[in-house]
Amino acid sequence: MVKKTVKKAAKTAAKKAVKKAVKYVYSFGAGKAEGNGKMKELLGGKGANLAEMAGQLKLPVPPGFTITTEVCTYYWNNKRTYPKTLKADVEANLKKIERETKKQFGSEKNPLLVSVRSGARASMPGMMETILNIGLTEKTIPGMIAKTGDARFVYDAYRRLIMMYSDVVMEKAAGIEPKDGEGIRKILDGMLEELKNKLGVSDDTHIPAEELQKLCVQFKATVKKVLKKDFPDDPMEQLWGAIGAVFASWNGKRAIAYRNIENIPHDWGTAVNVQTMVFGNMGDTSATGVAFTRNPGTGDSHFYGEYLINAQGEDVVAGIRTPSPMNKWSANAHSKHLPTLEKVMPKVYKELDAIQKKLEKHFHDMLDIEFTIEDQKLWMLQCRVGKRNGTAAVQMALDMVKERLISKEEAVLRVTPTQLGELLLPAIDPKAEAGVKPIAQGLPAGPGGAAGKIVFNSLDAIKLQEAGQNAILVREETNPEDIEGMRAAAGILTQRGGMTSHAALVARGWGKCCIVGCGELEINLNAKTVKMGGKTFKEGDELTLNGTKGYVYEGALKMLAAGEGNKNLAAFLALCDKVRTMKVRANADTEEDAIKARKFGAEGIGLFRIEHMFYGKNSDKPLFILRKMILSGSEEERKAAVEELFPYMKKEIKATMKAMAGFGVTVRLMDPPLHEFVPTLPEKQAELAKALGITMDVFKDRAASLHEVNPMMGHRGIRLGVTYPEITTMQSRAIFESAAELIKEGVKAQPEVMIPLTCDVNEIISQKKLIRAAYDEVVAKTKVKKLNFSVGTMIEIPRAAVLAYEVAQETDFFSFGTNDLTQMTFGFSRDDIGSFLPEYLKQGILEADPFQTLDQRGVGMLIEHAVAEGRDAKPNLKVGICGEHGGDPESVEFCHREGFTYVSCSAFRVPIARLAAAQAAAKDVLAKKRK
Ligand code: PEP
Ligand code: MG
């Protein structure tokens, strides 16, 4: 009984399946379409939008059909064959076009010609193939000439078909890989050029019909000779050849490489669009063009584009003739003398202008349009969301909100963090960069561009800066003694180090261009030379760095001015602030950085690294005292040094808190890797030994005793406060006295004390006693009222994350130190990944450098656990992040999802974080609206 029922059900299902055979072809045109704009996965971007333009918007789209991406998948999964039903489907759809156009494919009297174009889900400009004029054969040519009365036009179309088809179908899709410059297209191009020279004409349109006819004969003979095959003279053979070539081109080298760069999945497949040909090359009443509904370079809201009279689409892109401007807003230095379409064909221009307005209203975005005018009749061939640069993206987003075309949530999603970054950094002029090859490559540690003269030490970098010149500081690696030189240099290039190495961290904090881990550098400090790319460079030679990509170039390339003056930046960021729910703070260690951070919109400091006061400007004296403290021989000596340090520390903290008035300042207790502070220069060592009253031998013994096998896991962070409580007490006093004095001066100071590198709640309990005692002492001494403070900890050791429930009971906030948390979760040293991480990435063992992009699966799981447990213990626990990931957009989105109170990042990244936080919130709002 059961068996029978199952059988019956199976039969019905099979019947249904037969009835509902998979639909592989979707037609469009003449005010109707089987698909629509939402069907990008199936029809590709181009096919979906053609359907939308034809079916929904009733725009003049030449009739055609789209073969779905599923056929591409089938083709590659089934040894380059098609589904059984495809042939009949294509033929039926071709018939449909024939009915609509009243032309027949292959007809001798009234032939229909079609184009075949690829169209994946995401646009892959220039990566895949297009073939025009399919259907022209010995038989159909006379019919076309009779119909159009224009032999020149027909032979021009035919020579284009031979060129495209032999190149795309007969050579590339057949897997023939000619040497560079010896491909069939190049050969045929050469013949065309030769003919033009012979005839003394510069423009293709001036070649007479009979010459073109002869050229077509020669073309076909050459194709036969080179590719050992006849050029097909059967329209159906041409059509299927072209369709197959588009599918084949999905896995062509160019397309694969492009997908790898753009992160487009390889299994998406492309659709194929077959469409009635319309001709822009039918004389002076015809034209073809590419336009944007707004200027993609500036964001200016006027219709913008170029066109060519008497030409086919490829001519505009190929740059053979200088295209003319659409209107006065589109004219440039090369085209301003040429007549605009608005003047030449006012009626068509008006129609096109109305269409572009309609398209923007419909798609709510700037669109990139391709069109053809055939004898004064306008046809729309494509529309897609247009690519744009950072300046334009920001301008458009703001304008479209004003125009009520999009919501503020949509607007913040219209600008990528990379585009916003373009507005913030000095950069190499892309035109200058396009023409040259890099001579070396390292890790892109600090984005932007820098050009300048090579120097090999900090002093020389400072000297150059003082002389008003740009320096590129080339070092094996950098250490705290290089700081001033790093600040003075326009760019930094190091041989060793990873993305969170000292140089990288500092450079990013300053928004300075920096490349680290450029392993191939051979530096000779004695000769003051560096070898790379097979060449030796001397001090004073010029280099250009692209810190965004990690490329080093010879010579000084042209730079674009930093986008600081962009008039829209502030307005756009204000819009982001309206949308975001998470706060954005800065990692800042000086008054100067705090002021900068406020300018960039930081709402407080999430990490003030006290030990950074021992680097850089005016650090000589405090650094000297710190060194005395580190190298002291007794408790007494150390306590004296600690007291000596107090006024310096207080001064720095107070100035920074003042600059951040009204906002919280998280001061982290010292976390110095002690060995980094032992001087390496002999004269500095001697000076210190003298101050300590010890011999050089004793000095060396003490320095050696500080040596640790694994300093990153050694005597640092809270461990220093546990072994030397006076250090915690002094810092706490410095924090509270600064705050108390500011409050008395009427400045709103909000100190937050942060304990680093915690692994157990008992460490916090021990330090909190010291902090509280210092607070009580300061309040008693200063009699200040309303001095509030909070105590929190960094979560940067996995054990603290695991035991977050206990830790939260003793803290007011958690700040995830994801640099150390990543280091300790992976067991990867943050300073030594250069020797193995590139191989991990190359082999695909890891997808990304976890020090750059937060490892959401592993480290993220610890964070998720810690937030949940922490808030369980203390529902109002403040949660933030202050590791380098705090400025990484993907990581910011993760923090938003996990309910963080704030992210904190270097001052220069604050705008990016404001955008990323807004985008995360906007996605929430839009997803809710969709439900
Ligand atoms: C961290 O570990 O993420 C952090 C912010 O601290 P530091 O980089 O100073 O170790
Ligand atoms: Mg840390």
Side-chain angles (χ1 to χ4, degrees):
M1 178 68 188
V2 174
K3 254 189 190 167
K4 257 191 184 170
T5 325
V6 170
K7 258 190 182 170
K8 207 174 154 195
K11 265 191 181 168
T12 338
K15 263 191 199 160
K16 265 193 190 159
V18 170
K19 263 195 199 154
K20 282 188 95 187
V22 184
K23 184 168 172 59
Y24 288 120
V25 183
Y26 287 73
S27 69
F28 57 80
K32 279 187 288 204
E34 290 177 320
N36 63 52
K38 293 197 178 77
M39 296 167 75
K40 290 201 170 63
E41 284 184 22
L42 196 62
L43 304 180
K46 188 185 297 234
N49 281 356
L50 279 169
E52 188 80 3
M53 283 199 291
Q56 305 294 315
L57 296 166
K58 314 284 179 214
L59 298 183
V61 173
F65 55 87
T66 305
I67 305 174
T68 68
T69 54
E70 284 178 359
V71 177
C72 186
T73 316
Y74 183 102
Y75 174 89
W76 283 105
N77 288 343
N78 292 279
K79 299 193 186 117
R80 299 188 177 218
T81 58
Y82 300 123
K84 280 199 190 71
T85 50
L86 187 69
K87 188 164 178 283
D89 279 353
V90 165
E91 282 169 7
N93 275 280
L94 205 54
K95 283 264 163 319
K96 212 174 190 176
I97 304 182
E98 289 180 344
R99 281 197 298 277
E100 275 163 17
T101 58
K102 301 192 177 57
K103 293 178 183 170
Q104 286 85 42
F105 195 54
S107 155
E108 290 176 25
K109 292 221 171 77
N110 189 19
L112 166 73
L113 304 191
V114 296
S115 65
V116 170
R117 290 187 171 92
S118 63
R121 255 189 250 184
S123 120
M124 294 170 56
M127 293 302 127
M128 287 187 298
E129 310 301 351
T130 292
I131 302 169
L132 306 179
N133 309 331
I134 289 170
L136 270 181
T137 64
E138 295 292 345
K139 275 193 197 151
T140 58
I141 285 173
M144 274 300 280
I145 296 176
K147 274 228 57 133
T148 59
D150 188 348
R152 195 214 64 82
F153 151 70
V154 177
Y155 283 111
D156 182 53
Y158 194 41
R159 66 98 189 153
R160 289 172 193 266
L161 170 66
I162 303 169
M163 287 174 110
M164 287 185 235
Y165 194 94
S166 59
D167 169 36
V168 173
V169 184
M170 299 174 74
E171 189 172 88
K172 285 203 192 102
I176 301 169
E177 287 185 16
K179 276 196 218 130
D180 223 15
E182 292 179 17
I184 187 72
R185 183 122 188 186
K186 212 63 207 168
I187 298 172
L188 302 183
D189 265 334
M191 290 167 70
L192 178 66
E193 271 318 295
E194 214 172 279
L195 177 64
K196 284 200 303 199
N197 287 342
K198 199 182 93 190
L199 298 173
V201 298
S202 58
D203 206 321
D204 299 355
T205 54
H206 295 146
I207 308 175
E210 54 278 17
E211 290 293 341
L212 278 171
Q213 184 179 3
K214 273 194 255 164
L215 184 68
C216 290
V217 175
Q218 289 163 8
F219 268 12
K220 286 199 284 186
T222 308
V223 168
K224 170 91 197 231
K225 201 168 122 211
V226 176
L227 300 172
K228 316 271 180 292
K229 261 188 173 173
D230 281 317
F231 179 76
D233 201 38
D234 174 73
M236 271 301 180
E237 189 185 339
Q238 288 178 0
L239 178 62
W240 283 104
I243 292 171
V246 170
F247 288 138
S249 71
W250 175 254
N251 278 333
K253 269 192 206 149
R254 253 187 327 172
I256 292 176
Y258 183 85
R259 290 199 294 274
N260 284 339
I261 295 167
E262 297 285 318
N263 277 330
I264 297 174
H266 294 290
D267 59 1
W268 275 5
T270 180
V272 176
N273 297 293
V274 178
Q275 197 172 13
T276 309
M277 277 302 304
V278 284
F279 299 98
N281 54 340
M282 269 177 83
D284 289 346
T285 52
S286 300
T288 186
V290 176
F292 298 85
T293 54
R294 299 175 192 228
N295 186 321
T298 64
D300 176 74
S301 57
H302 293 102
F303 189 32
Y304 176 90
E306 298 177 325
Y307 76 101
L308 274 177
I309 291 278
N310 199 7
Q312 270 194 332
E314 46 168 359
D315 301 337
V316 183
V317 194
I320 306 165
R321 282 154 62 192
T322 305
S324 307
M326 293 296 279
N327 48 29
K328 67 176 180 203
W329 297 290
S330 310
N332 58 35
H334 300 297
S335 67
K336 59 177 186 252
H337 61 286
L338 298 168
T340 63
L341 187 72
E342 191 174 13
K343 281 226 171 85
V344 175
M345 296 187 193
K347 230 179 104 214
V348 181
Y349 177 82
K350 225 172 140 194
E351 188 188 353
L352 186 58
D353 191 36
I355 287 178
Q356 65 94 9
K357 286 196 176 105
K358 191 170 179 180
L359 283 171
E360 262 211 355
K361 267 218 175 92
H362 185 74
F363 286 99
H364 304 276
D365 205 345
M366 185 272 274
L367 297 150
D368 159 350
I369 293 167
E370 283 180 26
F371 65 93
T372 282
I373 300 161
E374 181 182 293
D375 195 16
Q376 300 281 4
K377 161 100 182 96
L378 175 66
W379 292 99
M380 301 300 296
L381 300 187
Q382 172 167 309
C383 85
R384 63 183 168 201
V385 169
K387 295 210 185 317
R388 61 206 77 177
N389 65 18
T391 309
V394 166
Q395 178 79 57
M396 286 177 199
L398 288 172
D399 285 348
M400 287 184 189
V401 172
K402 256 189 233 143
E403 295 161 25
R404 296 179 185 273
L405 199 59
I406 56 176
S407 65
K408 56 184 188 304
E409 285 81 14
E410 285 169 310
V412 301
L413 286 165
R414 289 289 165 85
V415 180
T416 66
T418 315
Q419 285 171 328
L420 188 69
E422 282 172 33
L423 272 58
L424 298 163
L425 293 166
I428 307 174
D429 184 339
K431 279 191 220 125
E433 196 172 5
V436 285
K437 272 206 172 135
I439 50 166
Q441 186 173 9
L443 297 173
K453 290 185 173 160
I454 297 175
V455 293
F456 292 96
N457 62 56
S458 289
L459 220 59
D460 289 339
I462 297 164
K463 272 192 212 149
L464 264 192
Q465 190 205 29
E466 283 169 358
Q469 296 186 41
N470 280 349
I472 302 290
L473 179 62
V474 180
R475 303 284 289 155
E476 259 180 34
E477 60 193 341
T478 61
N479 61 48
E481 280 164 3
D482 291 325
I483 286 285
E484 275 185 85
M486 290 171 71
R487 205 184 250 289
I492 301 152
L493 174 63
T494 76
Q495 184 191 355
R496 289 209 281 270
M499 291 298 280
T500 55
S501 64
H502 176 256
L505 210 116
V506 170
R508 241 189 330 268
W510 293 340
K512 183 146 299 202
C513 172
C514 173
I515 298 174
V516 298
C518 190
E520 65 187 275
L521 298 190
E522 286 175 39
I523 301 173
N524 183 337
L525 284 178
N526 291 328
K528 292 203 169 177
T529 59
V530 55
K531 223 172 132 183
M532 66 187 119
K535 243 186 130 169
T536 304
F537 296 85
K538 303 185 303 295
E539 184 184 48
D541 285 349
E542 283 178 321
L543 287 183
T544 302
L545 309 184
N546 180 334
T548 310
K549 292 185 180 150
Y551 292 151
V552 184
Y553 297 97
E554 185 177 355
L557 299 185
K558 189 169 171 245
M559 305 294 294
L560 292 179
E564 263 208 72
N566 186 290
K567 62 185 195 313
N568 289 322
L569 189 62
F572 180 71
L573 288 170
L575 189 73
C576 291
D577 294 346
K578 276 193 200 151
V579 175
R580 72 187 158 93
T581 52
M582 207 164 49
K583 298 263 181 240
V584 176
R585 292 185 169 206
N587 293 355
D589 318 312
T590 59
E591 178 188 12
E592 205 182 328
D593 282 353
I595 292 169
K596 215 178 288 159
R598 280 293 302 132
K599 266 198 201 142
F600 280 119
E603 299 155 299
I605 291 180
L607 175 61
F608 176 95
R609 288 177 170 107
I610 285 193
E611 62 277 9
H612 278 202
M613 65 177 280
F614 305 115
Y615 306 132
K617 244 194 219 161
N618 306 326
S619 64
D620 267 11
K621 189 74 197 182
L623 178 63
F624 185 73
I625 305 169
L626 178 81
R627 284 170 167 167
K628 258 175 42 183
M629 182 186 96
I630 291 170
L631 288 151
S632 53
S634 67
E635 193 178 331
E636 219 182 339
E637 248 177 53
R638 190 174 51 250
K639 281 189 170 160
V642 165
E643 276 317 304
E644 226 186 310
L645 210 48
F646 175 78
Y648 293 96
M649 205 163 266
K650 188 173 139 189
K651 187 168 163 259
E652 287 292 323
I653 295 172
K654 189 174 170 186
T656 305
M657 274 190 197
K658 193 170 177 185
M660 268 291 152
F663 295 99
V665 174
T666 304
V667 183
R668 179 179 73 176
L669 300 181
M670 267 205 283
D671 180 12
L674 291 185
H675 68 288
E676 268 190 18
F677 289 95
V678 177
T680 50
L681 298 174
E683 64 269 24
K684 293 267 177 203
Q685 290 180 342
E687 192 189 346
L688 194 57
K690 198 172 155 211
L692 288 164
I694 54 176
T695 64
M696 273 315 284
D697 283 345
V698 175
F699 177 88
K700 284 197 172 133
D701 279 350
R702 287 190 192 173
S705 74
L706 284 172
H707 176 78
E708 291 176 312
V709 174
N710 197 341
M712 271 294 181
M713 295 198 183
H715 196 180
R716 58 178 280 225
I718 192 168
R719 294 157 210 171
L720 214 62
V722 169
T723 48
Y724 307 135
E726 61 274 16
I727 298 183
T728 301
T729 300
M730 181 273 287
Q731 294 177 88
S732 307
R733 267 178 39 224
I735 296 168
F736 295 134
E737 276 198 29
S738 303
E741 285 175 15
L742 286 172
I743 288 170
K744 286 184 153 179
E745 290 163 25
V747 177
K748 282 187 191 149
Q750 295 178 27
E752 300 161 350
V753 185
M754 180 153 78
I755 302 170
L757 225 69
T758 313
C759 65
D760 194 283
V761 68
N762 286 327
E763 289 172 316
I764 296 174
I765 293 171
S766 101
Q767 295 300 293
K768 265 176 75 179
K769 275 190 202 136
L770 301 170
I771 297 166
R772 181 78 216 185
Y775 173 82
D776 290 342
E777 189 192 321
V778 170
V779 172
K781 187 173 135 194
T782 60
K783 307 210 165 37
V784 68
K785 287 189 192 98
K786 288 190 192 155
L787 171 54
N788 296 321
F789 75 105
S790 56
V791 178
T793 185
M794 292 188 71
I795 303 284
E796 47 187 346
I797 292 182
R799 191 173 189 273
V802 171
L803 299 177
Y805 188 85
E806 287 174 16
V807 177
Q809 286 171 5
E810 289 296 333
T811 47
D812 302 312
F813 62 89
F814 281 179
S815 179
F816 288 93
T818 45
N819 301 335
D820 277 313
L821 192 59
T822 300
Q823 167 166 266
M824 293 192 221
T825 305
F826 276 84
F828 289 174
S829 157
R830 53 196 267 198
D831 288 333
D832 300 303
I833 48 163
S835 52
F836 58 89
L837 192 75
E839 201 52 39
Y840 269 59
L841 299 177
K842 202 165 120 198
Q843 290 188 28
I845 294 172
L846 287 179
E847 263 178 32
D849 178 348
F851 289 101
Q852 277 184 67
T853 299
L854 188 73
D855 162 46
Q856 296 187 16
R857 281 188 338 114
V859 178
M861 194 184 273
L862 278 173
I863 296 176
E864 198 180 323
H865 167 86
V867 174
E869 293 279 305
R871 291 242 167 96
D872 217 7
K874 198 173 260 177
N876 58 354
L877 183 78
K878 247 177 21 183
V879 175
I881 182 174
C882 64
E884 282 297 288
H885 305 91
D888 167 63
E890 262 181 60
S891 311
V892 172
E893 184 173 349
F894 168 83
C895 294
H896 172 87
R897 280 203 309 272
E898 295 302 326
F900 275 46
T901 321
Y902 67 88
V903 294
S904 186
C905 56
S906 16
F908 281 97
R909 282 200 187 177
V910 166
I912 304 283
R914 285 162 74 189
L915 170 63
Q919 292 189 329
K923 281 182 195 168
D924 275 356
V925 172
L926 295 175
K928 264 189 212 131
K929 263 191 201 161
R930 246 175 264 132
K931 265 184 201 165

